[in-house]
Amino acid sequence: MENSIEITNVSKKYVINDGTYLTLRDLVTEGLPNLIKKKKKRERQFWALKNVTFNIKKGEVFGIIGKNGAGKSTLLKILSRIIPPTTGEVKIRGRVSSMLEIGTGFHSELSGRENVYLNGAILGMKRREIQKKFNDIVEFSGIGKFIDIPVKKYSSGMQVRLAFSVAAYLNPEILLIDEVLAVGDLSFQRKSLRKMHEITKEEGRTVVFVSHNTSAIDNLCSKVALLEKGKLVDVGETSKIISEYVTNYVAEEPPQKLKARPASKKIKIQITDFWLENSFRKRVKTVKIGNTCYFIFKYKTTAKSKQKNVDIGFAIKSISEQPLVNNYTSYSNQLIERLPLQGKFVFKVNKMPLTVGRYRIGYRITINGKEDDYLPNAAEFDVEPGEFYVPGVVVNQTHSPFYLDGAWQNE
């Protein structure tokens, strides 16, 4: 398949000085040669990108991930022709539309309507072509009654909605999107992700998507590049690269222990600690795939009497905030009719189904159907390789967050 973008040994250098100014007095007293030497001493070089090379195929949704300062936005600005590379070469085949910062590509004094036509003209479209797309753009953005108001009066969310709608509907062959989508509301983010999927699968356009949201990257992108300190660490299939990123660059710190909330009169049931126990009911720091384990939530009540009709549940999600599973006592008709003043909520996992990695666990407690306490990121725990299917056989798959308990047979 033809490449839409070819990036070859691209580097970007910035020169940073100490922020002081050289005056006319400096020129007179020290002379120009000494002044130039002094200026160079005050400067230091910073390489935002260093020898980055990879290709993006036509019709591909390509993700770029990495920590803050990895060089993601710098690379996108080079692809958008906003800044040139210091060294290396970028070849782009097709018209490019980009969303890098709020308001990028908009003239603040012009109305939303005028900016739509301006962006279309920049892409080389005729007025008649833009008119055909105009109603779709306005409808998708959801800002119809504000379309004739100057863009400078728009909120950041309104600007993002209009900018994405313009980029998606004015038919660029290549769409470059930075983390700016995170400014929009959740419903519009989901709507935008569906639209990006549509324009790549059905219309064959190329999307380059930079985001810290690895769940969105995982759902949308077929290939991903991982950057770290300006260098390309790896490029390949999405699940493999995300796993490498989360394991080596996100989960570097030890798991967070539960921090009990301050006592509050509003909260009647207080979770004070969380830990894991193995099948022998011994406290452990990690649990192996396929093993029996217990989730322990220690609690105490602030009320003087025993609580009635208590429902407690937990939710597990990945480090990248992808929801995975939840469970409540009420799911198995185990609503607690009378809760002692202190004790432990215990959930037995018969066979740990999660793949290797770090996970976050949160809890929620209701009393008589009303929420009493809720903490979405209460603590973290690790899962290690183990024997899920057959004793003695360790299967370490990374294509799915779960192992499925079942058995094959031929009939």
Side-chain angles (χ1 to χ4, degrees):
M1 187 181 291
E2 180 187 5
N3 291 327
S4 282
I5 301 173
E6 295 177 359
I7 301 166
T8 307
N9 294 323
V10 166
S11 299
K12 181 61 182 179
K13 178 181 74 175
Y14 291 101
V15 177
I16 304 171
N17 59 43
D18 61 2
T20 58
Y21 295 95
L22 299 176
T23 64
L24 181 60
R25 179 184 294 177
D26 296 327
L27 180 62
V28 172
T29 57
E30 299 187 37
L32 184 59
N34 290 331
L35 205 61
I36 292 173
K37 290 180 181 179
K38 186 175 180 180
K39 184 175 184 296
K40 286 184 177 180
K41 286 182 179 179
R42 290 178 176 178
E43 295 176 342
R44 61 185 177 89
Q45 296 180 352
F46 169 70
W47 289 91
L49 292 171
K50 193 69 175 177
N51 297 326
V52 174
T53 299
F54 60 85
N55 298 328
I56 301 173
K57 296 185 182 300
K58 182 179 179 182
E60 194 168 53
V61 188
F62 194 96
I64 302 176
I65 60 175
K67 296 191 293 187
N68 289 333
K72 306 183 300 296
S73 296
T74 299
L75 180 56
L76 230 56
K77 287 178 180 177
I78 291 174
L79 296 181
S80 302
R81 311 292 195 190
I82 294 174
I83 58 174
T86 305
T87 61
E89 183 181 26
V90 174
K91 292 182 180 179
I92 297 178
R93 299 179 177 92
R95 296 183 303 184
V96 176
S97 182
S98 58
M99 282 184 64
L100 307 187
E101 297 173 358
I102 296 173
T104 300
F106 284 163
H107 192 297
S108 61
E109 298 295 333
L110 298 180
S111 68
R113 182 187 300 272
E114 291 166 331
N115 271 290
V116 171
Y117 282 91
L118 176 62
N119 274 264
I122 291 172
L123 286 171
M125 298 178 67
K126 296 180 179 178
R127 185 176 182 85
R128 189 185 311 150
E129 293 179 88
I130 303 170
Q131 284 176 335
K132 289 181 180 179
K133 301 285 185 179
F134 184 80
N135 290 338
D136 291 333
I137 292 170
V138 174
E139 183 179 352
F140 190 89
S141 68
I143 59 169
K145 59 184 178 181
F146 305 106
I147 196 65
D148 290 309
I149 293 175
V151 166
K152 66 180 180 181
K153 296 184 179 181
Y154 286 10
S155 67
S156 58
M158 290 169 66
Q159 290 186 41
V160 165
R161 294 202 300 273
L162 183 59
F164 180 85
S165 303
V166 167
Y169 280 93
L170 290 186
N171 294 335
E173 283 86 7
I174 301 168
L175 182 57
L176 309 176
I177 300 178
D178 205 344
E179 194 70 54
V180 66
L181 267 183
V183 176
D185 59 78
L186 184 58
S187 62
F188 189 78
Q189 288 179 38
R190 290 173 177 169
K191 187 178 178 181
S192 301
L193 292 175
R194 287 196 298 270
K195 185 62 180 175
M196 280 193 279
H197 188 273
E198 176 187 316
I199 64 178
T200 53
K201 299 301 180 184
E202 298 180 11
E203 302 174 24
R205 288 190 266 168
T206 305
V207 175
V208 182
F209 185 39
V210 169
S211 179
H212 286 103
N213 186 342
T214 50
S215 293
I217 293 282
D218 192 21
N219 291 330
L220 192 68
C221 301
S222 53
K223 288 185 72 176
V224 175
L226 171 59
L227 298 179
E228 172 67 11
K229 295 180 180 179
K231 295 181 180 179
L232 179 67
V233 176
D234 202 356
V235 59
E237 292 184 3
T238 302
S239 58
K240 173 180 176 292
I241 303 301
I242 288 180
S243 177
E244 183 178 354
Y245 172 56
V246 171
T247 301
N248 298 325
Y249 299 96
V250 176
E252 296 173 333
E253 301 176 356
Q256 295 179 358
K257 295 183 179 180
L258 185 141
K259 295 180 179 179
R261 284 188 170 189
S264 171
K265 292 181 179 179
K266 294 181 179 180
I267 300 175
K268 295 179 180 179
I269 302 173
Q270 179 82 43
I271 299 294
T272 59
D273 200 0
F274 167 81
W275 66 86
L276 294 171
E277 292 182 0
N278 62 18
S279 58
F280 301 104
R281 297 306 302 268
K282 300 293 184 182
R283 189 182 293 211
V284 293
K285 293 182 179 179
T286 63
V287 60
K288 290 185 177 181
I289 296 168
N291 281 14
T292 298
C293 71
Y294 297 84
F295 294 152
I296 312 295
F297 299 88
K298 187 178 180 181
Y299 76 89
K300 66 178 180 180
T301 62
T302 58
K304 295 181 180 180
S305 59
K306 296 180 179 181
Q307 297 300 314
K308 299 179 181 179
N309 299 325
V310 175
D311 190 16
I312 177 167
F314 65 86
I316 298 174
K317 55 187 175 183
S318 67
I319 287 294
S320 62
E321 299 294 315
Q322 180 182 8
L324 298 173
V325 68
N326 64 48
N327 197 293
Y328 282 83
T329 53
S330 58
Y331 287 2
S332 50
N333 292 324
Q334 291 179 290
L335 198 67
I336 302 170
E337 294 184 0
R338 281 191 174 275
L339 185 70
L341 296 180
Q342 61 182 4
K344 294 179 289 188
F345 298 111
V346 180
F347 182 83
K348 180 182 179 182
V349 181
N350 294 320
K351 199 173 183 180
M352 173 54 69
L354 297 173
T355 53
V356 172
R358 179 162 297 171
Y359 299 90
R360 289 179 178 151
I361 189 167
Y363 65 83
R364 181 172 178 262
I365 300 172
T366 65
I367 302 174
N368 292 316
K370 294 183 179 180
E371 185 176 282
D372 181 62
D373 195 11
Y374 170 59
L375 192 58
N377 292 315
E380 295 178 358
F381 66 93
D382 287 328
V383 176
E384 295 181 332
E387 303 160 1
F388 188 86
Y389 297 107
V390 180
V393 179
V394 175
V395 180
N396 190 15
Q397 60 90 13
T398 58
H399 301 289
S400 164
F402 294 106
Y403 288 83
L404 185 62
D405 190 9
W408 286 98
Q409 64 184 35
N410 188 13
E411 296 182 349

